Amino acid sequence: MKLIGMIGGMSWESSALYYRLLNQAAHRRLGGHHNARSVLYTLDFDGINRMAAEGRWDEVGAVLADAARRLESAGADFVLITAVSGHAVAAAVEAAMRVPLLHLADPLGEALRAQGITTVGLLGTRYTMEMDFFTDRLRDRFGLEVLVPPPDQRSALHSIIIEELTLGRVTPQARTTLLAIAGELASRGAGAVAVACTELPILAELDAYAVPAFDVVQLHVEAALERALTESSAAPGG
């Protein structure tokens, strides 16, 4: 099994989720006492969150690129960014390494295309919903139409994620808000919703949504395990 490198700490709650799901998937696949071979580099979220909020994405990119190089030096065969918003600097991470970055949007795009879904609603942080790093990849690579909530709902969802979920707080009111936002995306024509935040699965199970919901973290983890088990050494950027 190849060694999976993970850039974590954005937040540690999301890193813990990735670690648990990855090892559970390895056990289901391999049985016995198997788990996934991995190395996790944990960043301090406070500084990264402040840089992102101030729009200092070049600095965020430099921090994540440094983490990626450290993972490569530790022997990682490929790298995951264990946060959706962190993919805003995916290009900087890819440029810093010789080993591949497994981009989180790609397994989602493949899953949606396989089920014939052409319009998807996007749920995540303000960065994920308003910046183009996620929506453009889905549109350009998979031909998907991506719908996002209106500004007030984006702000409300971002606040829930950053001020509650990343601190481990889960409330019924937040769950109700999330599902209502998803329902409005469905009413606008979304054939599915992408649960595109590592913390959101903590808040609501997938079958609670009005339309099929795709957990991007679970898809990312499954794709990582598949690569670790089946692929020969990939070329840089693969």
Side-chain angles (χ1 to χ4, degrees):
M1 185 189 300
K2 292 178 179 61
L3 183 64
I4 302 169
M6 294 188 287
I7 303 174
M10 301 170 289
S11 65
W12 74 260
E13 294 272 357
S14 67
S15 305
L17 177 65
Y18 259 89
Y19 188 79
R20 176 171 56 83
L21 291 176
L22 182 61
N23 287 294
Q24 287 175 339
H27 177 71
R28 285 195 304 271
R29 178 81 171 263
L30 301 173
H33 295 286
H34 286 288
N35 53 266
R37 295 181 64 240
S38 66
V39 56
L40 172 64
Y41 190 90
T42 304
L43 299 166
D44 183 358
F45 185 50
D46 188 78
I48 293 170
N49 185 44
R50 187 164 52 251
M51 286 185 280
E54 295 171 357
R56 294 152 51 198
W57 287 101
D58 287 348
E59 295 176 49
V60 175
V63 172
L64 268 66
D66 178 70
R69 284 189 291 267
R70 293 173 186 269
L71 289 169
E72 183 177 21
S73 296
D77 292 295
F78 63 95
V79 168
L80 312 180
I81 300 172
T82 66
V84 182
S85 300
H87 284 75
V89 296
V93 173
E94 286 183 306
M97 305 183 295
R98 291 168 300 193
V99 299
L101 174 73
L102 177 56
H103 197 290
L104 178 142
D106 293 346
L108 171 65
E110 291 165 3
L112 291 168
R113 187 163 59 185
Q115 295 199 22
I117 295 169
T118 58
T119 304
V120 62
L122 183 59
L123 301 168
T125 65
R126 185 177 70 246
Y127 314 125
T128 301
M129 294 184 289
E130 295 180 357
M131 298 172 72
D132 59 11
F133 66 90
F134 199 84
T135 54
D136 279 2
R137 196 168 182 103
L138 291 178
R139 289 169 177 149
D140 296 345
R141 293 200 171 203
F142 302 98
L144 293 163
E145 180 182 359
V146 182
L147 304 179
V148 298
D152 60 330
Q153 293 181 358
R154 295 198 297 265
S155 295
L157 188 54
H158 184 84
S159 178
I160 287 169
I161 294 167
I162 299 299
E163 297 176 17
E164 298 180 24
L165 297 180
T166 60
L167 297 175
R169 293 200 294 266
V170 179
T171 67
Q173 182 180 2
R175 184 178 189 275
T176 299
T177 299
L178 167 65
L179 296 179
I181 292 171
E184 290 196 24
L185 289 171
S187 71
R188 289 167 51 197
V193 291
V195 184
C197 172
T198 45
E199 284 84 11
L200 286 181
I202 301 168
L203 195 57
E205 61 279 9
L206 295 183
D207 60 8
Y209 291 86
V211 292
F214 289 76
D215 181 347
V216 300
V217 173
Q218 186 67 55
L219 293 169
H220 201 200
V221 162
E222 291 169 359
L225 183 62
E226 185 68 19
R227 175 172 287 201
L229 292 174
T230 64
E231 284 196 2
S232 58
S233 296

